[in-house]
Amino acid sequence: MIGGMCTIASAYRLRAVLAFVAFGLACSSSAPVQPPAESARAFLKDANETLLRLGIESNQAGWVQQTFITLDTEAINARASEAYMTAATGFAKRATQFDGVELTPDERRQLTLLKNFLTMAAPADPKEAAELAQLAASLDGIYGRGKYCPGGESGDACLDVEEITEILARDRNPARLLEVWDGWHSIAPPMKKGYARFVELSNKGARELGFADTGAMWRSKYDMPADAFAKELDRLWGQLRPLYLSLHTYVRARLRQRYGEAVPADGPIPAHLLGNIWAQDWSNVYPDVAPPGGTRAVDLTPVLRARRITPVEMTRYGERFFTSLGFEPLPATFWERSLFVKPRDREVVCHASAWNINQVDDLRFKMCIDQTAEDFTVIHHELGHDFYSRAYSGLPPVLRDSANDGFHEAIGDTIALSVTPEYLVKVGLIPQAPDSSGDIGLLLRTALERLAFLPFGLVVDAWRWQVFDGTVTPETYNKAWWDLRERYQGVRPAAPRGEEFFDPGAKYHVPANTPYTRYFLAAVLQFQFHRALTQAAGCTTPLHRCSIYGSAEAGRRLKAALEMGASKPWPDTLEALTGQRQMDASAMADYYAPLKVWLDQQNQGQKAGW
Ligand SMILES: [Zn+2]
């Protein structure tokens, strides 16, 4: 899910985190001379063994820290993560030594993945490497400590990101919304100078590894030339833009009814009125835009409560979803070692996550489950991560990852898309599925989350790629940011934002240097997976009412794709799952087709776009 609803913790998690450890290209000059292929194989053996060992240690430390937060467990976890990152950074740099060596395709694939591991490359100059590490930590720290203190007050009067998120979600006083929106963005200007220097140094490191710049290094992870990948994203967005325009036009008109002239009839929507700091998820404005007459939908929550279905039993439903597809049941240790409810005796990270501690079959699950329909769905999503990581566990450790970084979340979400009313009937939770009269409301609600997210999912890296390649310089950081946000999202700040601001820095992934395109890919891919699997399952109802539950054929396809892990370029895995080698956003358009018809009826007489 977007914004970190849940995460898979394993090599996958570690690969996603910031790499800021300097590591030179030192080779021992006294080592015996080996034929190049032999030394490449010895290198791969060392990389696989070392990364598996350090990955397991890091998982163990991470699990203990998240299920028992203390100063000590945090320190232990930080040390274990750092050891893993240091080793992985070293292997990434050394992997380039074998560029011209003739090897098997499987060995070549492992070297490619090792080389593409970094999200930040330190320059070889130790002083510059240290400066880069310091800048990365400092930017992350400024964000982490970021608070808005109204009227220059301090202490308890200050609002952190969670409190501001909550106000933007619930409050409807436009002056208050603007105040806290401005307030949160005030944390970022102190980052600007450091960020510009960070860009210089990380580009230098990337160039030393043979990439044009840091953005090109990120795009190299996708098994196609960097420019071709950027074009692919534009093509996918083109498939969805008409649907987005329909949603945008409809929401703008409804918000205009609530806020009046502050919302233009035919221009961009003010960014602070969409229920979210970054206008990346509009679910919170659902009450303002819901179809008249509301929605009639299944409410699973009272059923779970009335039938006293415990968190563990809810998870058993999730497990049976996968066994119905032909997957092996979860190991006994999953039930012994997982965390299902919030403990009363200690602090834990309740944020749901899935783990594979030994990267083979020590699967776990950490979630403070409430007896709600939402958590019932999240359980299915999280188990998707666990079944994925077990499916690829037979591969060499370096290849135990998803096909590309969009796939892991997309698989979890694909499973969640199959939690339909028909599925709930089949497993005996509700007696019958409701008719389709409430479907528009349900589709609108999820479109406000998933569809509204897409353009923002493109903007964050579109901006950074231009920054890294020098098209955008510090003199135009903020202008470029808002140009992109207006062009893709159709949102605008309430008042002009000059270069004294650094609004990109108010989004976590920018100071944390975490690539963002994966969230866009996951949002698009999950519908493509869902459409293909429901076709394999022989489903004939509209896509949003299809579940793959119980389909051996859908299960066979899914399993074949999951077992491939990162061993092949992602188009191969995509083909195994969907029969297509290209990403295809038309599946998402198909899924929301009934909503689009309805939105276009509501939008009659309105000018679309901005
Ligand atoms: Zn997830």
Side-chain angles (χ1 to χ4, degrees):
M1 292 231 166
I2 297 149
M5 185 73 180
C6 35
T7 46
I8 171 90
S10 66
Y12 176 74
R13 172 179 69 103
L14 290 161
R15 264 164 215 186
V17 303
L18 181 81
F20 58 78
V21 185
F23 206 101
L25 281 162
C27 276
S28 166
S29 55
S30 60
V33 179
Q34 283 182 317
E38 282 314 301
S39 65
R41 279 176 198 127
F43 169 78
L44 282 176
K45 183 168 181 288
D46 182 26
N48 275 301
E49 287 173 4
T50 306
L51 292 177
L52 178 62
R53 176 173 56 79
L54 294 175
I56 293 171
E57 284 174 17
S58 175
N59 283 341
Q60 290 169 329
W63 175 265
V64 172
Q65 187 259 323
Q66 294 213 359
T67 57
F68 194 162
I69 304 171
T70 69
L71 276 178
D72 299 322
T73 59
E74 280 178 359
I76 292 165
N77 183 40
R79 277 203 296 277
S81 294
E82 197 195 330
Y84 182 92
M85 296 304 304
T86 305
T89 304
F91 287 123
K93 293 200 160 189
R94 284 158 58 201
T96 56
Q97 294 172 334
F98 306 106
D99 278 352
V101 179
E102 206 167 307
L103 294 165
T104 67
D106 182 63
E107 289 160 349
R108 180 50 58 200
R109 179 79 186 157
Q110 293 185 44
L111 284 169
T112 303
L113 289 187
L114 282 170
K115 280 200 315 189
N116 289 344
F117 166 82
L118 297 176
T119 54
M120 184 179 96
D125 176 343
K127 256 174 72 183
E128 289 178 332
E131 186 185 356
L132 182 64
Q134 188 276 324
L135 281 168
S138 134
L139 290 164
D140 204 40
I142 296 174
Y143 188 97
R145 289 188 303 274
K147 281 191 177 161
Y148 161 53
C149 301
E153 287 183 68
S154 58
D156 287 350
C158 297
L159 303 172
D160 63 19
V161 68
E162 272 96 39
E163 289 163 310
I164 290 169
T165 296
E166 193 57 27
I167 293 167
L168 283 167
R170 312 270 163 253
D171 207 304
R172 287 296 179 272
N173 172 358
R176 173 73 168 150
L177 296 175
L178 183 57
E179 180 212 335
V180 297
W181 187 96
D182 276 339
W184 178 251
H185 285 79
S186 72
I187 69 152
M191 299 173 192
K192 183 174 170 180
K193 203 164 152 246
Y195 190 78
R197 178 70 178 148
F198 170 86
V199 169
E200 272 174 34
L201 290 172
S202 75
N203 273 344
K204 189 168 181 206
R207 281 195 291 269
E208 287 174 13
L209 290 180
F211 299 101
D213 60 76
T214 300
M217 185 170 86
W218 292 1
R219 295 194 294 281
S220 73
K221 291 177 202 286
Y222 295 102
D223 300 312
M224 56 167 69
D227 290 345
F229 179 66
K231 285 206 184 77
E232 268 300 274
L233 297 182
D234 278 341
R235 182 181 65 77
L236 294 169
W237 175 232
Q239 290 183 294
L240 291 167
R241 197 164 180 277
L243 177 62
Y244 181 75
L245 278 182
S246 297
L247 181 70
H248 182 280
T249 305
Y250 171 76
V251 167
R252 181 175 60 192
R254 289 304 187 95
L255 291 179
R256 197 169 148 81
Q257 286 172 2
R258 170 173 276 281
Y259 295 110
E261 288 301 315
V263 180
D266 56 7
I269 301 172
H272 64 291
L273 297 178
L274 285 158
N276 174 276
I277 297 178
W278 308 280
Q280 70 175 67
D281 176 347
W282 302 354
S283 321
N284 291 315
V285 304
Y286 180 74
D288 294 324
V289 306
T295 54
R296 224 168 52 76
V298 185
D299 195 356
L300 185 61
T301 303
V303 177
L304 295 170
R305 294 197 175 144
R307 293 178 45 180
R308 296 174 195 275
I309 296 177
T310 64
V312 171
E313 284 167 316
M314 286 167 71
T315 311
R316 287 281 184 193
Y317 277 98
E319 180 190 37
R320 285 195 290 271
F321 186 99
F322 288 89
T323 54
S324 88
L325 298 175
F327 287 86
E328 291 296 308
L330 291 161
T333 50
F334 172 89
W335 302 99
E336 293 156 18
R337 298 172 187 172
S338 289
L339 186 146
F340 299 98
V341 289
K342 187 174 182 171
R344 277 183 280 185
D345 61 343
R346 63 187 195 269
E347 289 288 323
V348 302
V349 178
C350 270
H351 191 93
S353 57
W355 301 64
N356 189 346
I357 300 285
N358 65 356
Q359 297 188 26
V360 181
D361 56 1
D362 189 354
L363 302 176
R364 315 244 183 119
F365 174 92
K366 176 187 65 60
M367 185 172 166
C368 305
I369 301 174
D370 290 323
Q371 283 170 304
T372 63
E374 191 190 345
D375 278 5
F376 187 78
T377 303
V378 173
I379 287 168
H380 287 69
H381 171 101
E382 291 302 331
L383 289 181
H385 290 307
D386 269 343
F387 280 92
Y388 198 171
S389 72
R390 186 171 65 177
Y392 57 59
S393 65
L395 297 168
V398 167
L399 303 177
R400 291 180 200 168
D401 202 346
S402 59
N404 72 35
D405 59 7
F407 272 59
H408 235 298
E409 287 308 317
I411 292 295
D413 278 347
T414 300
I415 303 307
L417 287 175
S418 268
V419 181
T420 60
E422 286 69 18
Y423 162 61
L424 299 178
V425 172
K426 278 193 186 161
V427 298
L429 282 170
I430 58 172
Q432 65 185 59
D435 66 27
S436 60
S437 61
D439 285 8
I440 292 301
L442 287 176
L443 285 170
L444 178 58
R445 195 190 287 263
T446 63
L448 291 171
E449 180 194 330
R450 299 173 186 147
L451 176 60
F453 169 75
L454 292 173
F456 186 74
L458 289 174
V459 161
V460 180
D461 281 353
W463 181 81
R464 281 191 292 196
W465 293 347
Q466 290 183 2
V467 167
F468 285 126
D469 77 12
T471 314
V472 169
T473 58
E475 292 73 46
T476 53
Y477 273 175
N478 222 37
K479 179 180 184 304
W481 173 254
W482 283 107
D483 284 351
L484 285 167
R485 295 201 57 192
E486 179 162 332
R487 186 166 114 215
Y488 283 99
Q489 288 184 282
V491 304
R492 179 186 282 174
R497 309 275 300 171
E499 299 301 326
E500 69 277 28
F501 298 107
F502 181 56
D503 294 327
K507 175 68 189 170
Y508 169 76
H509 300 71
V510 173
N513 196 44
T514 308
Y516 207 71
T517 304
R518 64 181 65 146
Y519 303 109
F520 175 85
L521 296 180
V524 167
L525 285 171
Q526 61 183 274
F527 291 95
Q528 191 176 358
F529 296 168
H530 180 67
R531 183 172 68 182
L533 292 175
T534 54
Q535 279 165 1
C539 200
T540 52
T541 50
L543 281 175
H544 66 280
R545 297 296 288 261
C546 278
S547 176
I548 62 169
Y549 176 75
S551 167
E553 178 54 23
R556 196 190 56 74
R557 284 238 213 153
L558 183 61
K559 208 169 168 187
L562 300 193
E563 284 172 355
M564 291 167 79
S567 64
K568 296 282 183 313
W570 63 261
D572 292 1
T573 311
L574 184 63
E575 187 175 21
L577 211 163
T578 68
Q580 295 176 283
R581 292 188 64 79
Q582 268 203 321
M583 292 187 277
D584 184 358
S586 71
M588 187 171 190
D590 286 356
Y591 186 97
Y592 285 109
L595 177 68
K596 183 158 193 321
V597 171
W598 183 85
L599 288 170
D600 290 345
Q601 285 164 359
Q602 314 304 308
N603 290 342
Q604 272 176 23
Q606 303 274 354
K607 180 176 171 287
W610 50 91

